[in-house]
């Protein structure tokens, strides 16, 4: 089975369209989203419509939860909070319903999906080191789990030869069968933060036991203009050019 995995889309329609076009060429059987579909960008309804049309299976991210008023924005920075408030006023009842139907965790035949961590996903903690990954690696019911949240692609591995050690790789092709468990951060479709402004997505082939992180160019100028036109903070447009 071939899975396409979309990380942190953040209402970036041009990036989402480019990634879906690329996924069409990959021949995937199912498309998953690790959450944060909305927030930051200026096309929440358009992104939700595209994802629904494609039958994408999402989990809930912290920005989605904040837009649904399920999460306090006290710990959000000012830009993020402004975008959450802007988004709340723009999404309709049916879109809200669809976002609300996303669980915190999904388990498929060959992989699990969560936004930040698999261990206590409701906390929306960040995995930024092997130590951060250990509680999630400990509770993984399947050998592969996909996450997002940091907007930086990286794979954390519990190795067969030494299960007491958690390793990591930033390689774009990972043989997940080599490891006992692999926790894969797929990066971000709509707001990459690894200084590569191209949209990121992942493909997982469960038969081949391999995960690929892929990057695709998209029309940043159009998306930045959309953010300016919406009256959202200019910083949210500027950062797209830099991938930060
Ligand atoms: Zn995010």
């Amino acid at each position: 089975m071939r899975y396409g995995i979309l990380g942190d889309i953040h209402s970036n329609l041009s990036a989402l369209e480019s990634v879906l076009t690329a996924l069409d060429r990959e021949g995937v059987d199912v498309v998953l989203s690790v959450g944060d579909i909305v927030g930051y960008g200026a096309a929440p309804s358009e992104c939700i419509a595209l994802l629904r049309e494609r039958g994408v299976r999402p989990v809930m991210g912290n920005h989605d939860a904040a837009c649904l008023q399920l999460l306090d924005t006290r710990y959000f920075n000012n830009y993020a909070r402004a975008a959450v408030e802007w988004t709340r006023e723009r999404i309709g009842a049916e879109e809200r319903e669809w976002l609300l139907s996303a669980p915190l965790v999904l388990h498929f035949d060959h992989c699990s999906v969560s936004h930040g961590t698999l261990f206590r996903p409701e906390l929306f903690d960040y995995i930024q080191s092997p130590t951060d990954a250990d509680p999630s690696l400990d509770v993984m019911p399947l050998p592969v789990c996909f996450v997002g949240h940091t907007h930086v692609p990286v794979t954390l591995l519990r190795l067969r030869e030494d299960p007491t050690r958690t390793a990591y790789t930033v390689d774009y092709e990972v043989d997940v069968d080599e490891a006992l468990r692999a926790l894969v951060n797929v990066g971000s479709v709509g707001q990459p933060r690894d200084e590569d402004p191209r949209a990121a997505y992942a493909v997982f082939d469960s038969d081949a036991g391999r995960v690929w992180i892929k990057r695709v160019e998209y029309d940043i100028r159009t998306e930045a203009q959309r953010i300016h036109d919406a009256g959202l903070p200019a910083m949210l447009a500027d950062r797209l050019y830099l991938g930060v």
Side-chain angles (χ1 to χ4, degrees):
M1 183 133 165
R2 276 171 79 79
Y3 298 82
I5 307 104
L6 311 177
D8 299 71
I9 296 162
H10 284 297
S11 299
N12 184 330
L13 180 61
S14 304
L16 178 59
E17 286 173 336
S18 292
V19 165
L20 288 174
T21 301
L23 273 181
D24 285 342
R25 289 193 292 267
E26 299 278 356
V28 294
D29 303 295
V30 58
V31 182
L32 323 175
S33 153
V34 306
D36 273 8
I37 288 162
V38 296
Y40 292 131
S45 297
E46 295 88 337
C47 288
I48 291 171
L50 253 188
L51 296 172
R52 291 180 70 183
E53 189 187 305
R54 297 280 187 133
V56 173
R57 305 278 311 274
V59 294
M60 192 179 291
N62 55 317
H63 286 253
D64 305 322
C67 289
L68 294 166
Q69 281 164 304
L70 300 175
L71 192 70
D72 199 329
T73 55
R74 203 179 327 164
Y75 303 105
F76 279 47
N77 64 49
N78 292 341
Y79 307 110
R81 195 180 309 113
V84 164
E85 283 162 11
W86 182 91
T87 305
R88 273 180 192 160
E89 286 171 23
R90 265 127 196 121
I91 53 172
E94 212 184 302
E95 292 161 341
R96 199 169 287 123
E97 222 28 64
W98 184 77
L99 284 175
L100 201 53
S101 70
L104 284 169
V105 172
L106 274 173
H107 301 290
F108 293 88
D109 288 345
H110 311 95
C111 58
S112 306
V113 188
S114 177
H115 184 61
T117 58
L118 195 62
F119 176 74
R120 302 207 58 193
E122 72 281 5
L123 298 179
F124 296 114
D125 282 337
Y126 292 87
I127 294 176
Q128 287 172 316
S129 70
T131 313
D132 294 343
D134 283 334
S136 292
L137 286 162
D138 288 343
V139 299
M140 279 170 57
L142 293 162
V144 180
C145 178
F146 294 100
V147 295
H149 202 31
T150 63
H151 302 203
V152 176
V154 62
T155 300
L156 294 120
L157 299 157
R158 189 152 284 172
L159 303 168
R160 282 186 198 280
E161 55 269 32
D162 184 2
T164 62
R165 205 179 122 240
T166 302
Y168 75 93
T169 176
V170 292
D171 286 355
Y172 272 16
E173 180 172 354
V174 182
D175 183 346
V176 289
D177 275 358
E178 286 272 282
L180 283 175
R181 288 174 185 173
L183 183 73
V184 185
N185 189 315
V186 297
S188 170
V189 170
Q191 198 194 84
R193 292 183 192 156
D194 58 348
E195 299 181 20
D196 180 344
R198 295 175 300 165
Y201 66 99
V203 172
F204 170 40
D205 187 319
S206 60
D207 296 330
R210 275 177 189 269
V211 172
W212 295 267
I213 304 287
K214 308 217 172 184
R215 304 303 282 256
V216 62
E217 309 259 0
Y218 75 95
D219 186 354
I220 296 178
R221 197 178 293 270
T222 293
E223 215 51 39
Q225 191 58 48
R226 206 193 305 272
I227 288 170
H228 287 304
D229 292 347
L232 285 162
M235 182 270 196
L236 297 177
D238 297 343
R239 68 191 303 177
L240 297 179
Y241 290 100
L242 303 171
V244 295

